[in-house]
Amino acid sequence: MSHSDTGPVVVTGGGRGIGAATVLLLAQCGRPVVFSYASNSNAAQALTDRVKAAGGTALAVQGDVANEEAITTLFEVCRKSFGVPTGVFANAGITGPSTRLEDLEPADLRRVLDVNVIGTALTVQAATRLMSTRRGGAGGAMVLMSSRAAALGGGNEWIQYAASKGAVSSMTIGLAKELGSDGIRVNAVAPGLIDTEIHAAAGLADRLATKTNDVPLGRIGRADEVAAAVSWLLSDAASYVSGAILDISAGR
Ligand code: NAP
């Protein structure tokens, strides 16, 4: 895919999974990328090596997306290394344990909301302060990571996760209205069942295999299939798209 916008992009949670596939694709499109990760420095290093081998540029920054100082550092690394970003992918997210809501520990509930909701909001805040044309920036585009779970509800799996993604979808709608006059488009992607390690991390190693029959196209999605949509939404090819929540779920 060609990108007429070749400005830098910040990606949160880019070390593995959907974030990593997006970092790689954006870098292949000629955009310098700064991405954060939580703790897996081996995966982050492997990704930066892969990007370099593909002729692209990516920098990895360890930092918890729920921590405002870490978010500030992430954007500062981008500004100092490549300039103010013109694209942001607020992707970092966790599910928390798979359990009925009545059995969920309050600390686990709070952590999911902290990472998925507060972390996304902090990312948007830092990005807006740099990118807004009202503040002297050049504008650009943001993509927030929602999920099909926001509409499906997560019952019997992870209601806390579904609710957090519902909040991300609401933020997308509001931010598209609020930031249009700042020269910033805001959209979300809402993937369905995508083959990453997030399912096993929640103790549901066989989740994807047992749910394949729920998918009208009859297969599980790949991270690069989500990355393609994110890359498009961040590009000038999507110049009149804002406030969209794009299901990437093969009809599920
Ligand atoms: P993943 O394979 O578990 O990768 C998550 C990435 O986010 C990792 O690089 C991880 O860092 C990073 N991360 C986690 N918590 C973080 C934090 N507090 N601060 C900074 N980075 C953090 O997950 P994924 O499946 O690619 O999911 C990515 C996003 O897509 C999430 O928001 C998820 O909810 C959403 N999503 C996924 C699916 C799916 O089926 N996979 C469907 C819908 C939506 P480390 O590598 O250091 O651990």
Side-chain angles (χ1 to χ4, degrees), residues 7-10 75 78-87 127 129-132 136-139:
V9 182
V10 171
F75 279 86
C78 183
R79 195 181 62 76
K80 287 185 178 147
S81 307
F82 306 122
V84 170
T86 57
R129 289 173 189 146
L130 288 175
M131 292 165 63
S132 168

PDB file of all heavy atoms in Angstrom, residues 7-10 75 78-87 127 129-132 136-139:
ATOM      1  N   GLY A   7       4.647  10.832   7.333  1.00  0.00           N
ATOM      2  CA  GLY A   7       5.027  11.324   8.649  1.00  0.00           C
ATOM      3  C   GLY A   7       5.163  10.203   9.656  1.00  0.00           C
ATOM      4  O   GLY A   7       4.704   9.079   9.437  1.00  0.00           O
ATOM      5  N   PRO A   8       5.811  10.513  10.797  1.00  0.00           N
ATOM      6  CA  PRO A   8       6.017   9.487  11.812  1.00  0.00           C
ATOM      7  C   PRO A   8       4.718   9.055  12.496  1.00  0.00           C
ATOM      8  O   PRO A   8       3.754   9.813  12.547  1.00  0.00           O
ATOM      9  CB  PRO A   8       6.946  10.167  12.826  1.00  0.00           C
ATOM     10  CG  PRO A   8       6.988  11.610  12.486  1.00  0.00           C
ATOM     11  CD  PRO A   8       6.451  11.793  11.106  1.00  0.00           C
ATOM     12  N   VAL A   9       4.752   7.829  13.014  1.00  0.00           N
ATOM     13  CA  VAL A   9       3.583   7.255  13.692  1.00  0.00           C
ATOM     14  C   VAL A   9       4.002   6.728  15.059  1.00  0.00           C
ATOM     15  O   VAL A   9       5.063   6.124  15.201  1.00  0.00           O
ATOM     16  CB  VAL A   9       2.977   6.089  12.872  1.00  0.00           C
ATOM     17  CG1 VAL A   9       1.727   5.543  13.560  1.00  0.00           C
ATOM     18  CG2 VAL A   9       2.636   6.533  11.454  1.00  0.00           C
ATOM     19  N   VAL A  10       3.164   6.977  16.071  1.00  0.00           N
ATOM     20  CA  VAL A  10       3.340   6.378  17.398  1.00  0.00           C
ATOM     21  C   VAL A  10       2.325   5.246  17.554  1.00  0.00           C
ATOM     22  O   VAL A  10       1.132   5.438  17.295  1.00  0.00           O
ATOM     23  CB  VAL A  10       3.130   7.430  18.514  1.00  0.00           C
ATOM     24  CG1 VAL A  10       3.098   6.753  19.889  1.00  0.00           C
ATOM     25  CG2 VAL A  10       4.234   8.484  18.469  1.00  0.00           C
ATOM     26  N   PHE A  75       6.015   9.933  23.360  1.00  0.00           N
ATOM     27  CA  PHE A  75       5.810  10.970  22.342  1.00  0.00           C
ATOM     28  C   PHE A  75       7.045  11.869  22.201  1.00  0.00           C
ATOM     29  O   PHE A  75       7.336  12.351  21.112  1.00  0.00           O
ATOM     30  CB  PHE A  75       4.539  11.775  22.648  1.00  0.00           C
ATOM     31  CG  PHE A  75       3.294  11.065  22.184  1.00  0.00           C
ATOM     32  CD1 PHE A  75       2.667  10.127  22.994  1.00  0.00           C
ATOM     33  CD2 PHE A  75       2.763  11.312  20.924  1.00  0.00           C
ATOM     34  CE1 PHE A  75       1.535   9.450  22.549  1.00  0.00           C
ATOM     35  CE2 PHE A  75       1.632  10.645  20.472  1.00  0.00           C
ATOM     36  CZ  PHE A  75       1.019   9.708  21.290  1.00  0.00           C
ATOM     37  N   CYS A  78       9.488  10.207  19.917  1.00  0.00           N
ATOM     38  CA  CYS A  78       9.087  10.388  18.514  1.00  0.00           C
ATOM     39  C   CYS A  78       9.436  11.797  18.038  1.00  0.00           C
ATOM     40  O   CYS A  78      10.046  11.975  16.975  1.00  0.00           O
ATOM     41  CB  CYS A  78       7.590  10.123  18.356  1.00  0.00           C
ATOM     42  SG  CYS A  78       7.057  10.246  16.633  1.00  0.00           S
ATOM     43  N   ARG A  79       9.076  12.795  18.846  1.00  0.00           N
ATOM     44  CA  ARG A  79       9.299  14.189  18.439  1.00  0.00           C
ATOM     45  C   ARG A  79      10.782  14.464  18.212  1.00  0.00           C
ATOM     46  O   ARG A  79      11.164  15.060  17.214  1.00  0.00           O
ATOM     47  CB  ARG A  79       8.730  15.133  19.503  1.00  0.00           C
ATOM     48  CG  ARG A  79       8.578  16.575  19.044  1.00  0.00           C
ATOM     49  CD  ARG A  79       8.043  17.457  20.157  1.00  0.00           C
ATOM     50  NE  ARG A  79       8.927  17.514  21.311  1.00  0.00           N
ATOM     51  CZ  ARG A  79      10.063  18.224  21.385  1.00  0.00           C
ATOM     52  NH1 ARG A  79      10.431  18.965  20.368  1.00  0.00           N
ATOM     53  NH2 ARG A  79      10.810  18.192  22.474  1.00  0.00           N
ATOM     54  N   LYS A  80      11.605  13.974  19.167  1.00  0.00           N
ATOM     55  CA  LYS A  80      13.043  14.255  19.056  1.00  0.00           C
ATOM     56  C   LYS A  80      13.700  13.445  17.938  1.00  0.00           C
ATOM     57  O   LYS A  80      14.633  13.920  17.297  1.00  0.00           O
ATOM     58  CB  LYS A  80      13.739  13.941  20.377  1.00  0.00           C
ATOM     59  CG  LYS A  80      13.421  14.990  21.445  1.00  0.00           C
ATOM     60  CD  LYS A  80      14.208  14.740  22.717  1.00  0.00           C
ATOM     61  CE  LYS A  80      13.919  15.807  23.758  1.00  0.00           C
ATOM     62  NZ  LYS A  80      13.976  15.288  25.120  1.00  0.00           N
ATOM     63  N   SER A  81      13.224  12.230  17.700  1.00  0.00           N
ATOM     64  CA  SER A  81      13.885  11.353  16.721  1.00  0.00           C
ATOM     65  C   SER A  81      13.415  11.611  15.299  1.00  0.00           C
ATOM     66  O   SER A  81      14.212  11.617  14.358  1.00  0.00           O
ATOM     67  CB  SER A  81      13.626   9.881  17.059  1.00  0.00           C
ATOM     68  OG  SER A  81      13.981   9.620  18.395  1.00  0.00           O
ATOM     69  N   PHE A  82      12.095  11.815  15.136  1.00  0.00           N
ATOM     70  CA  PHE A  82      11.535  11.876  13.767  1.00  0.00           C
ATOM     71  C   PHE A  82      10.665  13.101  13.531  1.00  0.00           C
ATOM     72  O   PHE A  82      10.225  13.338  12.417  1.00  0.00           O
ATOM     73  CB  PHE A  82      10.690  10.624  13.486  1.00  0.00           C
ATOM     74  CG  PHE A  82      11.413   9.328  13.725  1.00  0.00           C
ATOM     75  CD1 PHE A  82      10.910   8.391  14.629  1.00  0.00           C
ATOM     76  CD2 PHE A  82      12.590   9.028  13.060  1.00  0.00           C
ATOM     77  CE1 PHE A  82      11.569   7.196  14.853  1.00  0.00           C
ATOM     78  CE2 PHE A  82      13.256   7.841  13.278  1.00  0.00           C
ATOM     79  CZ  PHE A  82      12.750   6.924  14.176  1.00  0.00           C
ATOM     80  N   GLY A  83      10.329  13.838  14.596  1.00  0.00           N
ATOM     81  CA  GLY A  83       9.408  14.966  14.478  1.00  0.00           C
ATOM     82  C   GLY A  83       8.044  14.631  15.068  1.00  0.00           C
ATOM     83  O   GLY A  83       7.799  13.503  15.526  1.00  0.00           O
ATOM     84  N   VAL A  84       7.159  15.619  15.071  1.00  0.00           N
ATOM     85  CA  VAL A  84       5.812  15.437  15.632  1.00  0.00           C
ATOM     86  C   VAL A  84       5.073  14.382  14.802  1.00  0.00           C
ATOM     87  O   VAL A  84       5.094  14.434  13.564  1.00  0.00           O
ATOM     88  CB  VAL A  84       5.040  16.781  15.607  1.00  0.00           C
ATOM     89  CG1 VAL A  84       3.570  16.570  15.945  1.00  0.00           C
ATOM     90  CG2 VAL A  84       5.669  17.764  16.583  1.00  0.00           C
ATOM     91  N   PRO A  85       4.425  13.413  15.453  1.00  0.00           N
ATOM     92  CA  PRO A  85       3.740  12.375  14.679  1.00  0.00           C
ATOM     93  C   PRO A  85       2.557  12.943  13.890  1.00  0.00           C
ATOM     94  O   PRO A  85       1.922  13.907  14.320  1.00  0.00           O
ATOM     95  CB  PRO A  85       3.244  11.391  15.751  1.00  0.00           C
ATOM     96  CG  PRO A  85       3.209  12.178  17.012  1.00  0.00           C
ATOM     97  CD  PRO A  85       4.288  13.218  16.899  1.00  0.00           C
ATOM     98  N   THR A  86       2.288  12.323  12.746  1.00  0.00           N
ATOM     99  CA  THR A  86       1.062  12.639  12.011  1.00  0.00           C
ATOM    100  C   THR A  86       0.073  11.480  12.096  1.00  0.00           C
ATOM    101  O   THR A  86      -1.043  11.582  11.605  1.00  0.00           O
ATOM    102  CB  THR A  86       1.367  12.950  10.528  1.00  0.00           C
ATOM    103  OG1 THR A  86       2.056  11.831   9.961  1.00  0.00           O
ATOM    104  CG2 THR A  86       2.228  14.200  10.396  1.00  0.00           C
ATOM    105  N   GLY A  87       0.506  10.383  12.717  1.00  0.00           N
ATOM    106  CA  GLY A  87      -0.383   9.246  12.914  1.00  0.00           C
ATOM    107  C   GLY A  87      -0.171   8.634  14.286  1.00  0.00           C
ATOM    108  O   GLY A  87       0.962   8.627  14.794  1.00  0.00           O
ATOM    109  N   ALA A 127      -1.112  12.993  22.191  1.00  0.00           N
ATOM    110  CA  ALA A 127      -1.073  13.163  20.737  1.00  0.00           C
ATOM    111  C   ALA A 127      -1.717  14.483  20.330  1.00  0.00           C
ATOM    112  O   ALA A 127      -1.177  15.222  19.505  1.00  0.00           O
ATOM    113  CB  ALA A 127      -1.789  11.988  20.064  1.00  0.00           C
ATOM    114  N   ARG A 129      -2.101  17.230  21.976  1.00  0.00           N
ATOM    115  CA  ARG A 129      -1.306  18.415  22.361  1.00  0.00           C
ATOM    116  C   ARG A 129      -0.202  18.705  21.355  1.00  0.00           C
ATOM    117  O   ARG A 129       0.166  19.856  21.157  1.00  0.00           O
ATOM    118  CB  ARG A 129      -0.729  18.215  23.765  1.00  0.00           C
ATOM    119  CG  ARG A 129      -1.823  18.292  24.830  1.00  0.00           C
ATOM    120  CD  ARG A 129      -1.317  17.928  26.211  1.00  0.00           C
ATOM    121  NE  ARG A 129      -2.440  17.812  27.130  1.00  0.00           N
ATOM    122  CZ  ARG A 129      -2.502  16.948  28.144  1.00  0.00           C
ATOM    123  NH1 ARG A 129      -1.492  16.126  28.389  1.00  0.00           N
ATOM    124  NH2 ARG A 129      -3.566  16.913  28.916  1.00  0.00           N
ATOM    125  N   LEU A 130       0.317  17.663  20.697  1.00  0.00           N
ATOM    126  CA  LEU A 130       1.368  17.865  19.697  1.00  0.00           C
ATOM    127  C   LEU A 130       0.808  18.106  18.296  1.00  0.00           C
ATOM    128  O   LEU A 130       1.351  18.885  17.522  1.00  0.00           O
ATOM    129  CB  LEU A 130       2.287  16.632  19.637  1.00  0.00           C
ATOM    130  CG  LEU A 130       3.237  16.401  20.799  1.00  0.00           C
ATOM    131  CD1 LEU A 130       3.958  15.067  20.607  1.00  0.00           C
ATOM    132  CD2 LEU A 130       4.245  17.529  20.912  1.00  0.00           C
ATOM    133  N   MET A 131      -0.290  17.429  17.963  1.00  0.00           N
ATOM    134  CA  MET A 131      -0.751  17.379  16.570  1.00  0.00           C
ATOM    135  C   MET A 131      -1.769  18.454  16.221  1.00  0.00           C
ATOM    136  O   MET A 131      -1.916  18.811  15.044  1.00  0.00           O
ATOM    137  CB  MET A 131      -1.362  15.992  16.291  1.00  0.00           C
ATOM    138  CG  MET A 131      -0.351  14.862  16.292  1.00  0.00           C
ATOM    139  SD  MET A 131      -1.114  13.209  16.392  1.00  0.00           S
ATOM    140  CE  MET A 131      -2.047  13.155  14.868  1.00  0.00           C
ATOM    141  N   SER A 132      -2.505  18.952  17.202  1.00  0.00           N
ATOM    142  CA  SER A 132      -3.628  19.852  16.914  1.00  0.00           C
ATOM    143  C   SER A 132      -3.189  21.099  16.149  1.00  0.00           C
ATOM    144  O   SER A 132      -2.232  21.778  16.536  1.00  0.00           O
ATOM    145  CB  SER A 132      -4.283  20.279  18.227  1.00  0.00           C
ATOM    146  OG  SER A 132      -5.168  21.352  17.976  1.00  0.00           O
ATOM    147  N   GLY A 136      -0.708  24.750  16.838  1.00  0.00           N
ATOM    148  CA  GLY A 136       0.458  24.914  15.968  1.00  0.00           C
ATOM    149  C   GLY A 136       0.937  23.640  15.319  1.00  0.00           C
ATOM    150  O   GLY A 136       1.959  23.650  14.622  1.00  0.00           O
ATOM    151  N   GLY A 137       0.235  22.529  15.556  1.00  0.00           N
ATOM    152  CA  GLY A 137       0.624  21.266  14.935  1.00  0.00           C
ATOM    153  C   GLY A 137       0.113  21.157  13.506  1.00  0.00           C
ATOM    154  O   GLY A 137      -0.552  22.069  12.999  1.00  0.00           O
ATOM    155  N   ALA A 138       0.416  20.030  12.882  1.00  0.00           N
ATOM    156  CA  ALA A 138       0.057  19.837  11.469  1.00  0.00           C
ATOM    157  C   ALA A 138      -1.158  18.935  11.293  1.00  0.00           C
ATOM    158  O   ALA A 138      -1.532  18.608  10.169  1.00  0.00           O
ATOM    159  CB  ALA A 138       1.248  19.251  10.723  1.00  0.00           C
ATOM    160  N   GLY A 139      -1.792  18.506  12.423  1.00  0.00           N
ATOM    161  CA  GLY A 139      -2.932  17.598  12.310  1.00  0.00           C
ATOM    162  C   GLY A 139      -2.481  16.194  11.958  1.00  0.00           C
ATOM    163  O   GLY A 139      -1.285  15.877  12.001  1.00  0.00           O
TER     164      GLY A 139
END
